[in-house]
Amino acid sequence: MPDLLYGAVVAAIAIYIYFVVNDRKLSQLPPDAEIFSPDRFTVQGVLAAFKQHHDKPIDTGKLLPPKTGRRYIVVGGAGFLGGWIVHQLLQRGEDPKRIRVLDVRLPTRPDLRTGKAQHVTFLKVDISNVTAVSNAFQVPWPQTGTGGDSDKGEITVFHSAANIRFYERVLALFSRSTDVNYEGTKNVTSSSKDIGASILIYTSSGALAVRRTRFWLWPWETRPRFFVQLLWDDDNLIPKRHEHFFSNYAASKRLGERVVREADKSPSGRSRILRTGCIRPGNGIFGPGGDILCGAYLVRKHNPTWVENILQSYIYVENCALAHLCYEQRLVELEKGGTNPDIGGQSFNVTDSGSPCTFGDVHLALSTLDSECEFPSYSFTFMLSIAHLIEATYVTKTLLSMSTSVLCRALARMIPPIRGDLVNLQPSMFALISVHLIFDDHRARLSPSEGGLGYNGPYTTLQGICKTADAHLKANRAGEERSQGAGVSLNFKLWKKSRGTDKAHKKVNAGQHLHVEAVTVLN
């Protein structure tokens, strides 16, 4: 008995030492990452940026491409990024009656239910249903009241809908991501050609190039492989094997992107040609209107973290929407006989202006601007251990419930469900948020004559954070339902979450298609 006790004590001490040493290795900001952003946020700098936001707010309207008068279908336009694309179309003067939104739910955002947006047609559609998508695309356009033919004119399709099951990596669950991100994208592309659309812009994801890595380090290893990843829009950087993607989500977005790019220059309708392009947002998109990054932090208030040192490129949502409109403008110019290089069928990374920042920078900014927002630190290795346990429970229960065996399904019911935001705490999340990701978007920023998009997003990440926090405070700290179910709160006592969060995750766990924009959840 004493020997067993002695052995247990030695084992506990060894595990503790390993956790401490492993945490130390993973908490570094390596020089090859820090060189891209050597300066950290300060309280004074954050307050100065917030004051500037109030004194001289950025006006994206001046940077929007000119009105086209085209007809628009925005898939996923009732949500976060898609909603901002609709907002910018209206902002530049497009006729709301010539804008149609397809989404799995009707809009809840105030700015999509008031003003000009009231005249936009919103159709509730599951894009994994080929018939539903085709019918929605074929719906006659409403009369504009200007005397013109509402069913005439070129059509642009923006496709920003996705099912972001970033927490799944097991191949057996891959269909849960491909139903929307691949099959749904095929449906959107096919229906675009059926109605004679001439432009299709797809929201891909910069995360599809992120390589999965291992965080359980051997004593002689100093840091994980792929700990620092410099990502530009080179297809050679994209993983070739499923297990090399950080999650099923990334692999499914790669398939969806391929569908869109391969459709470039294909026949559309009776006499048109479809031109396509893809935007790969940096990791990740944030801003007012229901994001699952900074907005989720503010809504959740208590935000456990173990990645303060991690440096990543972000993109504020208005910058991201602008990039989509810039790509459309380039393709419209080519359609009209422009002489700039043909950039159809390509993918472009886009990020914020300025340097990338660490999670610690983001945490400092948000806690400075909202005193109720806090970020307690946890052990990385300990949280990774918990993530593996949650994944084992989640995958076992899910696979058993999918079995045709009555016994297996009965066993599945005996395993407690992973409720609330704990479902997000799985190893694939670590593969995304625990590596230094620097996205290079210089090609998108090139002028059209140089083969670029002419993209020049005006917001730095800090300026975007200031606007996000300001909108949150003006809304009395209320948040969209989408923000309420994101991230990880680690409130293990609340197995039964609030109604909105629990409802959202029940839909996901039941295999229904939760359509949200192509963003990544970070913690």
Side-chain angles (χ1 to χ4, degrees):
M1 189 67 178
D3 290 341
L4 289 176
L5 181 60
Y6 177 77
V9 170
V10 171
I13 293 174
I15 292 172
Y16 174 76
I17 293 175
Y18 176 82
F19 275 35
V20 170
V21 173
N22 203 55
D23 283 353
R24 188 172 300 154
K25 294 175 181 178
L26 297 171
S27 64
Q28 60 182 306
L29 177 56
D32 49 336
E34 188 176 15
I35 191 174
F36 293 99
S37 179
D39 300 320
R40 305 276 59 82
F41 288 3
T42 64
V43 171
Q44 294 78 10
V46 171
L47 294 176
F50 193 71
K51 184 177 185 301
Q52 184 182 37
H53 161 69
H54 277 283
D55 295 343
K56 292 183 178 180
I58 294 173
D59 182 9
T60 54
K62 297 179 180 179
L63 299 173
L64 296 178
K67 172 185 174 181
T68 66
R70 297 167 68 93
R71 291 177 287 167
Y72 288 92
I73 297 177
V74 185
V75 183
F80 178 50
L81 172 60
W84 276 102
I85 292 175
V86 171
H87 176 79
Q88 290 189 354
L89 290 173
L90 295 172
Q91 187 179 7
R92 76 178 187 188
E94 302 294 350
D95 188 340
K97 292 186 178 181
R98 295 173 74 83
I99 300 175
R100 177 181 302 168
V101 169
L102 277 59
D103 208 309
V104 74
R105 63 188 63 181
L106 298 178
T108 59
R109 288 171 46 175
D111 60 339
L112 295 180
R113 296 184 296 165
T114 57
K116 293 181 180 179
Q118 296 179 88
H119 304 291
V120 171
T121 299
F122 289 91
L123 301 178
K124 194 172 181 180
V125 179
D126 177 352
I127 65 169
S128 66
N129 185 319
V130 61
T131 302
V133 175
S134 177
N135 291 342
F137 270 66
Q138 299 283 351
V139 169
W141 292 83
Q143 293 297 320
T144 62
T146 60
D149 193 333
S150 61
D151 282 329
K152 297 293 183 181
E154 301 292 344
I155 299 175
T156 291
V157 177
F158 289 107
H159 176 19
S160 67
N163 190 351
I164 311 178
R165 306 178 71 89
F166 70 92
Y167 46 83
E168 294 174 344
R169 60 177 179 171
V170 177
L171 187 58
L173 305 181
F174 193 37
S175 63
R176 293 186 163 203
S177 292
T178 57
D179 280 353
V180 170
N181 301 339
Y182 177 50
E183 299 296 340
T185 299
K186 287 200 298 184
N187 295 339
V188 169
T189 303
S190 176
S191 292
S192 296
K193 291 191 284 189
D194 288 344
I195 64 170
S198 60
I199 293 177
L200 169 59
I201 306 296
Y202 175 62
T203 308
S204 184
S205 174
L208 60 80
V210 174
R211 290 294 299 268
R212 187 186 303 182
T213 191
R214 173 176 53 83
F215 298 104
W216 295 100
L217 302 180
W218 293 104
W220 54 85
E221 293 180 303
T222 58
R223 73 185 206 183
R225 191 183 182 194
F226 307 119
F227 196 39
V228 178
Q229 300 185 36
L230 177 58
L231 304 172
W232 57 96
D233 36 28
D234 181 353
D235 289 347
N236 292 322
L237 295 176
I238 298 175
K240 304 299 188 294
R241 298 171 59 90
H242 181 86
E243 62 269 22
H244 292 165
F245 288 95
F246 90 88
S247 76
N248 289 353
Y249 166 71
S252 66
K253 290 297 287 186
R254 172 55 174 162
L255 295 177
E257 181 184 282
R258 185 177 296 163
V259 168
V260 173
R261 292 177 63 177
E262 291 178 352
D264 186 51
K265 296 183 179 179
S266 60
S268 181
R270 295 182 179 179
S271 58
R272 293 184 175 89
I273 298 296
L274 180 66
R275 303 309 312 272
T276 70
C278 301
I279 296 293
R280 293 179 183 170
N283 196 51
I285 311 174
F286 73 97
D291 80 352
I292 47 180
L293 180 54
C294 294
Y297 283 147
L298 291 166
V299 170
R300 196 165 54 243
K301 299 181 182 179
H302 182 82
N303 303 280
T305 183
W306 48 94
V307 289
E308 297 98 325
N309 61 300
I310 297 298
L311 184 76
Q312 296 198 347
S313 302
Y314 300 83
I315 183 163
Y316 176 64
V317 66
E318 292 185 67
N319 286 344
C320 193
L322 173 63
H324 287 71
L325 269 58
C326 287
Y327 206 154
E328 185 215 13
Q329 183 185 28
R330 301 287 82 80
L331 296 182
V332 168
E333 291 168 353
L334 291 172
E335 192 177 75
K336 294 181 178 180
T339 58
N340 289 324
D342 190 336
I343 58 172
Q346 298 183 22
S347 296
F348 288 84
N349 284 354
V350 291
T351 65
D352 287 334
S353 298
S355 302
C357 59
T358 65
F359 280 97
D361 290 332
V362 174
H363 301 165
L364 173 70
L366 292 174
S367 58
T368 298
L369 298 175
D370 184 355
S371 60
E372 294 186 6
C373 193
E374 60 180 4
F375 297 88
S377 294
Y378 284 71
S379 162
F380 183 107
T381 312
F382 174 74
M383 296 310 303
L384 182 61
S385 304
I386 297 298
H388 280 287
L389 293 175
I390 291 175
E391 180 185 50
T393 303
Y394 174 81
V395 172
T396 301
K397 181 178 179 63
T398 302
L399 293 180
L400 287 174
S401 64
M402 295 168 57
S403 173
T404 57
S405 167
V406 175
L407 176 60
C408 288
R409 293 199 300 273
L411 290 173
R413 288 192 292 271
M414 298 173 63
I415 300 174
I418 304 299
R419 296 189 183 276
D421 55 26
L422 280 179
V423 72
N424 298 329
L425 185 61
Q426 298 192 44
S428 58
M429 181 180 75
F430 286 73
L432 178 65
I433 71 170
S434 304
V435 290
H436 304 278
L437 302 176
I438 296 91
F439 287 86
D440 182 349
D441 68 348
H442 82 277
R443 201 165 66 90
R445 294 179 181 274
L446 293 175
S447 67
S449 62
E450 297 175 299
L453 300 181
Y455 163 72
N456 186 25
Y459 285 88
T460 65
T461 299
L462 178 54
Q463 289 169 326
I465 290 173
C466 288
K467 187 165 183 179
T468 304
D470 191 31
H472 177 71
L473 295 173
K474 287 179 178 177
N476 295 319
R477 293 186 168 89
E480 291 288 320
E481 179 180 313
R482 184 170 179 266
S483 296
Q484 296 170 6
V488 177
S489 65
L490 294 189
N491 194 346
F492 292 101
K493 294 180 180 179
L494 296 182
W495 284 89
K496 293 185 177 180
K497 303 295 289 182
S498 63
R499 182 179 179 183
T501 302
D502 198 40
K503 180 180 178 182
H505 282 287
K506 281 183 178 179
K507 287 185 177 180
V508 173
N509 292 334
Q512 296 183 19
H513 304 300
L514 181 63
H515 296 226
V516 289
E517 285 62 39
V519 296
T520 51
V521 179
L522 308 176
N523 201 16

